[in-house]
Amino acid sequence: MTQIGTPDNPLRVAIVGAGPAGFYSAEHILKDGDLHAQVDLFDRLPTPFGLVRGGVAPDHPKIKSVIRVYEKTAARDGFRFFGNVKVGHDIEVGDLERLYHAIVYTVGCESDRRLGIPGEELAGSHAATAFVGWYNAHPDYAEEKFDLSCERAVVIGNGNVAMDVARMLALTDNELRQTDTADHAIEALDRSQIREIVVLGRRGPAQAAFTNPEIKELGELEGADVIVDPAEVELDPASRAFIESDEADKTSRVNVEILDEFAQREPAGKGKRIALRFLRSPVEIVGDGKVEKIVIGRNELTDEGGTLRPRDSGDREELDCGLVLRSVGYTGIPIEGVPFDERRGLILNEGGRVLDSHDAGHRVGHYTAGWIKRGPSGVIGTNKKCAQETVVHLLADAGSGVLLDPESADPAAVDDLLRERGIRFVSFDDWKAIDQAEVGRGEPHGRPRVKFVRVEEMLEALGEKVSG
Ligand code: NAP
């Protein structure tokens, strides 16, 4: 057995998905100076950084500054980026098996979870993921249309994505024009007639999934008052006992305090209102061809095995609205040929080692990290530790020689294969040129960048520089 990771036989790893988990995996592999390794990071988009570019809200530029860390990884010896290459379409998993010792899937969770209520499919009812992709200039959502001509929008869910979309609907034109929000979204939001954004949490303030800065921010907007009914944030005895116990985390405690403070506020009469409702679930979305109203059920909390869960009280109320954004979490999409846990919406794995089935062992050479490994939870930094666990296993397997046996160890074989197939792949230098072009478009307007929305525009910005 030839040792893997030596100058003569460098460890060759393909990472699929250039979001945080992909970059952290690359970093963990490449940072060890003693190991000779080559990492090729593939992404179906010409642009790297996954949700940092396509998910993080445009008015949160500080969160995006983590890109500097990924740029350092990209500058390491042995790193290559192959953007605009879709695994399962332009290159198959079988091709990667012939070219690398190991494959790490870091594709994230690209789809939305469903509510399963009548009317969910009506025009005007959208997954928040689509709205997020649209305002962030993600090419998949370039053609989405959101009817913002109604007076009231309803956001379903109590996580940070719900906070993001509620806030984006409430930002003033002045606030929006300082960001890298897609131009099409700035124009549409500027014309928006929405005056009230109602956010429905199915449980109470003590169980909300959002974090402190995100809820606090809703109370600090230039153009919107935050409205909370004191009766709805009054804790039931079980939630009160939880919040006062050692079990409660600080985030939940502070969330409750912030919401109590919101409930005591008098509206300042700003142009828009964000109404935060609790113990309320959508029961049905109603309309003739498009969303006209939503039927809401009141919940009570009941203890199920130590967790307070919502139970329908039977009480109903109706709210007129023209837009519904469903923000109840993301789920993964299977990759052809990679074992998938349908129930959990993840790649079947144990500590990042892909499993052939629930009962079978590790599929040699296949690994996963990030949301598609553990589910859509945590902040960007959570993926660092998650990727580390996976890479520790990968390197241990490399040490024992239990990896794939690539037919070709020549890095140029990848470029040749893609060129043969007519794939216009985008290198990291190409990306830097796209990046500069976007920043240049933003400068005259005092914006961080004006994003390209379509893949063709990105490739055109490269002119002669396109590889392939
Ligand atoms: P999330 O945090 O899991 O929140 C999902 C929300 O949907 C929960 O409030 C959940 O309520 C609710 N929900 C689920 N099923 C529902 C149903 N059938 N009816 C009504 N409500 C339902 O997911 P997310 O907001 O999509 O965020 C994903 C991850 O990205 C999170 O870890 C989040 O913190 C992170 N993120 C962070 C930031 C930031 O740091 N600024 C921004 C965006 C996203 P239950 O609790 O009752 O299940």
Side-chain angles (χ1 to χ4, degrees), residues 348-367:
L348 204 53
N349 77 94
E350 198 173 71
R353 285 186 175 113
V354 175
L355 302 179
D356 260 319
S357 73
H358 281 288
D359 319 314
H362 174 208
R363 178 173 288 195
V364 170
H366 294 251
Y367 300 84

Side-chain angles (χ1 to χ4, degrees), residues 51 55-57 60 63 113-117 128-129 132 156-164 167 200-204 207-211 213-214 217 280-282 299 301 308-310 326-330 371 374-380 382:
L51 276 186
V56 171
H60 281 172
I63 299 183
R113 288 185 46 219
R114 314 294 291 174
L115 282 170
I117 60 167
T129 47
V132 170
I156 299 163
N158 249 349
N160 281 331
V161 173
M163 297 297 102
D164 282 348
R167 197 176 66 253
L200 300 182
R202 67 174 168 180
R203 298 192 284 164
Q207 293 82 31
F210 45 68
T211 42
E214 284 67 28
E217 210 176 351
R280 298 293 186 279
S281 279
N299 298 326
L301 292 178
L308 291 173
R309 303 228 178 259
R326 307 178 313 261
S327 181
V328 296
Y330 291 73
W371 275 10
R374 66 171 202 280
S377 65
V379 292
I380 291 165
T382 314

Side-chain angles (χ1 to χ4, degrees), residues 90-101:
D90 302 324
I91 193 165
E92 301 300 329
V93 168
D95 296 320
L96 299 179
E97 286 177 325
R98 281 189 291 279
L99 291 163
Y100 297 93
H101 291 108

